[in-house]
Amino acid sequence: MAARTLYDKLWDEHLVREDENGTALLYIDRQLVHEVTSPQAFEGLRLHGRRPWRPEANLAVPDHNVPTLNRRLGIADPVSRIQVETLEANCAEFGITYFGMDDRRQGIVHIVGPEEGFTLPGMTLVCGDSHTSTHGAFGALAFGVGTSEVEHVLATQCLIQRKSRAMLVSVDGELGRGVTAKDLVLAIIGAIGTAGGTGYVIEFGGDAIHSLSMEGRMTVCNMTIEAGARAGLIAVDETTIDYLRGRPFAPTGALFEQGAAHWRTLKSDEGASFDRVVRIAAAEIQPQVTWGTSPEMVVPVGARVPDPAAEADPVKAAGMRRALDYMGLKPGTPITEIRPDKVFIGSCTNARIEDLRAAAEVVKGRRVADGIKLAMVVPGSGLVKEQAEAEGLDRVFLEAGFEWREAGCSMCLAMNADRLEPGERCASTSNRNFEGRQGQGGRSHLVSPAMAAAAAVTGHFVDVRGL
Amino acid sequence: MEKFTDFTGVVCPLDRANVDTDAIIPKQFLKSIQRTGFGPNLFDEWRYLDRGEPGQDNSGRPLNPDFVLNDPRYTGASILLTRENFGCGSSREHAPWALADYGLRVLIAPSFADIFFNNCFKNGLLPIVLPAEVVDRLFAASGGPAALRIAVDLPNQILTPSVGAPIPFEVDPFRKHCLIEGLDDIGLTLQHLDAIRAYESRRRVEAPWLFS
Ligand code: SF4
C-alpha cells in the first residue's frame, strides 16, 4: 500500500461508503454536546420522531452559559438558564450522559472530553463547536460541526463529508525557555494566516511538537481552527498513551493494551505526501502578543504595533486600520507599553492544570498591579480546579489579588456574566480576539498563561522571560 | 428544507475580509433555543448603535448609518458580496440562520471558512466562491447610485449581473442536487442504514475498545 498520512488512515478507517464524486459517509465514533448548539438539533429529532443512534456515544456538559461565581444560586439570566435546563431535559429524554452544573466533572467540553478519556486516539469525534479541533492532539480526527450536523450525528452516527487536503506543519528543533505551546501556535497562525489552513487538515509534527505534554498539544490543536483548518492532528506516541491510562471512559486491562497497540500505528508513514508543507524553526519563536482583531494579527512581545502604511495589499491594510482603530492603538507603539485593564486566564485553549501552574509560577510572591481592575482565573473543569487547589495554586492566585472562579467558558466569549465593558483592554489566554468577542467594544490581546500572569503583575505586557 | 429556485436579487457589498461568525450574530443571541428569528440581529454590533439584547423589539433601535446593510440602496438585498475568509471563527449555525432569516440567499466571496460554508448548504443558502478579480469587479459595479442586481441560475451555474458579462460558478454536484431538490441530509443518510450497520459490526470486532 502507498505511504499514507495520519489523516488518510483516520479517514479510511471511518469510511462507511463513498460516491464516485467523492462525497463520503463517515462514521463518527463520539460526539460532545453543549447547551448552545444542541437545542435545535434535539428539537429536530423530536419533530421527525427520531432517536439517537447510539446514545452512549454522546457526552453532554453545559459550559458557555454557566456562572463562575455563586453557582449554588443557579443562573440569574433567565434566557441562559432555559438553555442549560433544555440541555438537561434533552439528555434525560434521549438517554445521554450529562454532567450538570453541580457535578465536579463539569467544565469546558474540550477540557472534559480528554480529561475523562472520552476522547481516544484513532476516533472520529465531533461537537457543535469549532474548537473540537482540540481533540486532534490525541491522533483523533476531531472537528467542529453546525447544529444540523449535530442532529445528523445523533440520528445516524455518521456525517456526509468530503476529504480535505493534508498539510504538514513541522516545528523543528526546541522551543526556547519560557516559550510555550500557545506562543508556538500563535506564531504558526501569524505565519500562515487565519485562512492559511482553509480546505486542509493540518498535522503538526517535528521535535518541538513531540516534546510537548498532552496539555500543550491540546493548546496547539485547539487553535488550528484559528488558522482556518478543518482539523489539527498530532501523531500518537507514549505521551498520548500514558495520559489515557486509568481515565474513566478509557478502556481498561487487556482492551486498553489492544487499543494501545493500534494507537501506536497512528502516525504518518515514512514518505507520505502532503499537499503543503510548512517548516518552522522552534528556536526562533518568541512569546507572542496579538495586537488586532484577528489571531493572525500577532507579533513577538519585543516588537511594536505594525503600521498599515507598510502593507502593500489594500484589503489587508484597510483591515489593519480598522483593527487599530477598534483596539485604540497607534502604529509603532511598543507592545510592552500596552496596559490591559483586565486579565483573563481560562478557556479551552489554556485552562488545564499545566496552564494554571505556569501562571502561578509567575504570580507567586507578586501582586496584581494597581492599574488592573480585574484579574481572574477560571479553571477549565471542576477537576482541574480541585487539582489546582490540592497543589495550593488557588492560594497563590488569591494572595496576589486574582479572583478564583468556578469552571466554564466565562470571559472567553462572555455569554455568562463575565465580560469586558466597551473600551476595556484584556490580556487573555483564550483563542479569539474578534471585535466584541469578550464583550461589546472589548479589546482582547491573546497571550500564553505565563504572559497573562506577567501582564497582571506588572500592569503592562512584558517578556515573561525577563521577570 | 425548501427548494432553491432561481431568482434575481439586489447585491449588498460588505467590503471586509475575515468577517467572523461572532460579527454575523453576536453571542447574546445564541441563547435562543429556536432556529428562527435571528434576522433582525444579523450583524447586530455593526448595524445598530446600541447594544442588542435577545427578545428585544428591534424596530426602535438607533441604526448605524455607516453600515452598508442600512444603506437604502440595498434594501431587500438577497445577495451578499464580501471578501475573503467570510464566516471564520465559531461554528455557530446561528450565522447562516441569521443570514437566511434576513432574506439573503446567495453569498459571494473569494473564500469562505470551512464550517460556515458547510452550514450554509444545510439552510438553503448558496455560498459562491469567485476569483478575487471577479469579486473586485462586482464590488466596483455595486457601489454606484443604483444597486447592482444579479440573476442567479443554479442549474446552469451562471450569475448574470445587471452590468457586465455573465459569470459561471462552481458548486459541488451533491450539494447542488440537495439544494435544488430541497433534500434533507438525514433522510439521505438513513437510506444507507445497512451500510452503517455493517460498518458498525465490523468495527465492534476490529476496534472493540471504541464500543466498551
Ligand atoms: S472556552 Fe471559549 S472557545 Fe472554548 S468552547 Fe468555550 S467559548 Fe468556545
Side-chain angles (χ1 to χ4, degrees):
Chain A
M1 196 185 280
R4 292 184 301 161
T5 62
L6 172 55
Y7 176 46
D8 292 331
K9 293 182 185 182
L10 295 171
W11 179 268
D12 293 348
E13 267 189 27
H14 290 89
L15 208 52
V16 173
R17 64 183 301 280
E18 192 170 16
D19 288 346
E20 320 78 75
N21 67 20
T23 304
L25 196 60
L26 208 63
Y27 191 80
I28 303 301
D29 293 310
R30 283 188 183 168
Q31 173 160 250
L32 288 159
V33 179
H34 68 69
E35 78 277 21
V36 181
T37 55
S38 65
Q40 298 86 351
F42 286 113
E43 187 58 25
L45 287 186
R46 259 192 299 272
L47 282 173
H48 293 93
R50 291 174 178 140
R51 302 289 304 173
W53 183 275
R54 267 178 65 204
E56 71 281 9
N58 301 278
L59 174 64
V61 58
D63 51 7
H64 287 61
N65 279 287
V66 301
T68 57
L69 277 176
N70 300 328
R71 186 160 289 180
R72 267 164 306 133
L73 303 179
I75 305 178
D77 176 354
V79 199
S80 287
R81 190 172 63 236
I82 289 170
Q83 204 166 49
V84 172
E85 288 169 355
T86 305
L87 178 62
E88 182 167 7
N90 281 329
C91 288
E93 179 181 344
F94 292 106
I96 289 170
T97 307
Y98 173 75
F99 293 172
M101 227 168 66
D102 46 10
D103 191 311
R104 51 195 281 269
R105 299 167 297 179
Q106 181 273 341
I108 306 168
V109 70
H110 308 305
I111 296 209
V112 171
E115 182 173 82
E116 289 295 313
F118 185 78
T119 308
L120 295 176
M123 277 184 168
T124 42
L125 181 146
V126 299
C127 173
D129 194 285
S130 57
H131 290 99
T132 311
S133 60
T134 311
H135 310 264
F138 290 83
L141 180 59
F143 50 89
V145 295
T147 299
S148 299
E149 290 182 317
V150 172
E151 182 183 343
H152 196 282
V153 173
L154 282 168
T156 70
Q157 212 58 49
C158 289
L159 276 180
I160 300 170
Q161 291 284 300
R162 266 181 170 278
K163 200 170 174 188
S164 305
R165 286 172 291 169
M167 185 190 304
L168 175 67
V169 174
S170 182
V171 190
D172 305 316
E174 251 180 76
L175 287 176
R177 187 187 59 85
V179 181
T180 66
K182 180 65 163 288
D183 302 305
L184 185 141
V185 70
L186 283 170
I188 292 172
I189 296 164
I192 69 174
T194 46
T198 306
Y200 289 95
V201 162
I202 299 180
E203 178 174 344
F204 297 95
D207 298 340
I209 296 291
H210 281 280
S211 320
L212 293 174
S213 63
M214 286 317 295
E215 281 87 350
R217 295 180 195 188
M218 285 189 257
T219 301
V220 171
C221 287
N222 174 274
M223 288 197 70
T224 319
I225 186 65
E226 260 54 69
R230 183 103 187 112
L233 284 174
I234 294 177
V236 176
D237 59 16
E238 294 309 310
T239 307
T240 326
I241 292 169
D242 291 343
Y243 178 96
L244 290 167
R245 235 180 269 279
R247 306 239 162 216
F249 283 75
T252 52
L255 206 52
F256 185 92
E257 296 313 323
Q258 193 188 350
H262 177 64
W263 300 338
R264 292 192 177 94
T265 68
L266 297 174
K267 53 180 164 221
S268 291
D269 294 331
E270 200 71 50
S273 80
F274 289 86
D275 301 287
R276 185 177 171 198
V277 176
V278 176
R279 293 200 177 274
I280 294 191
E284 284 167 21
I285 300 172
Q286 309 289 316
Q288 305 280 309
V289 182
T290 66
W291 56 266
T293 52
S294 161
E296 70 185 14
M297 295 173 165
V298 66
V299 290
V301 62
R304 290 167 185 267
V305 174
D307 189 348
E311 173 58 55
D313 175 348
V315 175
K316 252 197 175 157
M320 288 171 76
R321 263 182 225 109
R322 196 176 306 115
L324 288 176
D325 182 47
Y326 181 86
M327 294 296 290
L329 291 173
K330 292 207 169 42
T333 309
I335 295 294
T336 50
E337 282 177 16
I338 301 174
R339 310 186 80 87
D341 303 295
K342 290 183 174 169
V343 176
F344 171 62
I345 297 177
S347 90
C348 58
T349 312
N350 281 132
R352 298 181 189 83
I353 188 68
E354 197 176 272
D355 300 313
L356 304 193
R357 285 181 193 138
E361 204 189 323
V362 175
V363 168
K364 201 173 175 92
R366 297 189 168 102
R367 292 231 15 112
V368 170
D370 283 344
I372 306 283
K373 285 190 241 173
L374 170 73
M376 65 196 289
V377 184
V378 184
S381 70
L383 295 180
V384 169
K385 182 166 185 265
E386 274 181 18
Q387 174 67 29
E389 288 171 355
E391 295 178 20
L393 304 185
D394 57 325
R395 300 305 323 157
V396 173
F397 288 117
L398 287 166
E399 278 160 19
F402 275 84
E403 295 197 9
W404 178 250
R405 300 286 187 95
E406 302 281 347
C409 294
S410 178
M411 212 160 72
C412 172
L413 97 163
M415 250 181 109
N416 68 355
D418 311 333
R419 66 167 72 129
L420 298 180
E421 296 305 322
E424 276 184 346
R425 191 179 292 291
C426 183
S428 178
T429 65
S430 58
N431 42 49
R432 288 191 174 136
N433 51 354
F434 299 157
E435 285 184 24
R437 171 78 180 182
Q438 296 192 284
Q440 190 172 17
R443 297 162 168 169
S444 312
H445 296 270
L446 307 179
V447 287
S448 74
M451 286 287 288
V457 296
T458 58
H460 55 87
F461 289 107
V462 61
D463 191 335
V464 64
R465 295 171 301 181
L467 272 196
Chain B
M1 198 169 72
E2 248 177 74
K3 294 184 180 181
F4 188 99
T5 47
D6 295 350
F7 72 101
T8 300
V10 167
V11 178
C12 176
L14 177 66
D15 197 356
R16 297 191 184 205
N18 299 313
V19 172
D20 58 76
T21 53
D22 279 75
I24 298 173
I25 184 84
K27 73 213 87 199
Q28 61 270 35
F29 306 106
L30 270 49
K31 295 180 184 184
S32 164
I33 55 172
Q34 316 289 331
R35 235 174 223 272
T36 51
F38 296 102
N41 301 108
L42 174 68
F43 298 119
D44 199 273
E45 289 183 9
W46 293 342
R47 193 161 149 202
Y48 301 99
L49 295 170
D50 62 346
R51 183 187 148 85
E53 289 299 338
Q56 171 188 27
D57 173 15
N58 295 288
S59 56
R61 293 177 59 198
L63 293 174
N64 173 4
D66 297 332
F67 186 56
V68 69
L69 228 54
N70 295 328
D71 186 321
R73 280 179 294 177
Y74 309 124
T75 307
S78 50
I79 301 174
L80 188 74
L81 175 66
T82 182
R83 296 287 184 183
E84 81 158 355
N85 202 25
F86 186 80
C88 61
S90 154
S91 63
R92 58 188 71 164
E93 199 161 318
H94 311 68
W97 293 338
L99 291 159
D101 197 60
Y102 179 83
L104 291 161
R105 300 178 59 197
V106 166
L107 313 171
I108 301 173
S111 63
F112 292 91
D114 193 48
I115 303 177
F116 173 81
F117 188 74
N118 229 343
N119 284 340
C120 283
F121 289 99
K122 319 265 178 210
N123 295 285
L125 269 176
L126 172 61
I128 298 178
V129 177
L130 292 179
E133 321 83 73
V134 180
V135 170
D136 274 344
R137 259 191 279 133
L138 290 174
F139 266 105
S142 63
L148 178 74
R149 298 170 68 82
I150 293 182
V152 180
D153 174 354
L154 177 56
N156 295 305
Q157 299 179 209
I158 297 210
L159 299 177
T160 312
S162 47
V163 224
I167 304 164
F169 64 89
E170 295 293 317
V171 55
D172 178 273
F174 173 73
R175 283 167 159 160
K176 173 176 165 180
H177 171 71
C178 292
L179 273 181
I180 293 177
E181 299 299 327
L183 296 178
D184 153 41
D185 276 3
I186 297 180
L188 284 177
T189 298
L190 288 174
Q191 293 173 359
H192 302 296
L193 271 184
D194 293 343
I196 305 173
R197 292 218 174 97
Y199 173 89
E200 268 183 344
S201 3
R202 180 161 61 79
R203 289 291 280 174
R204 279 180 197 277
V205 178
E206 275 173 17
W209 58 86
L210 292 176
F211 296 85
S212 67

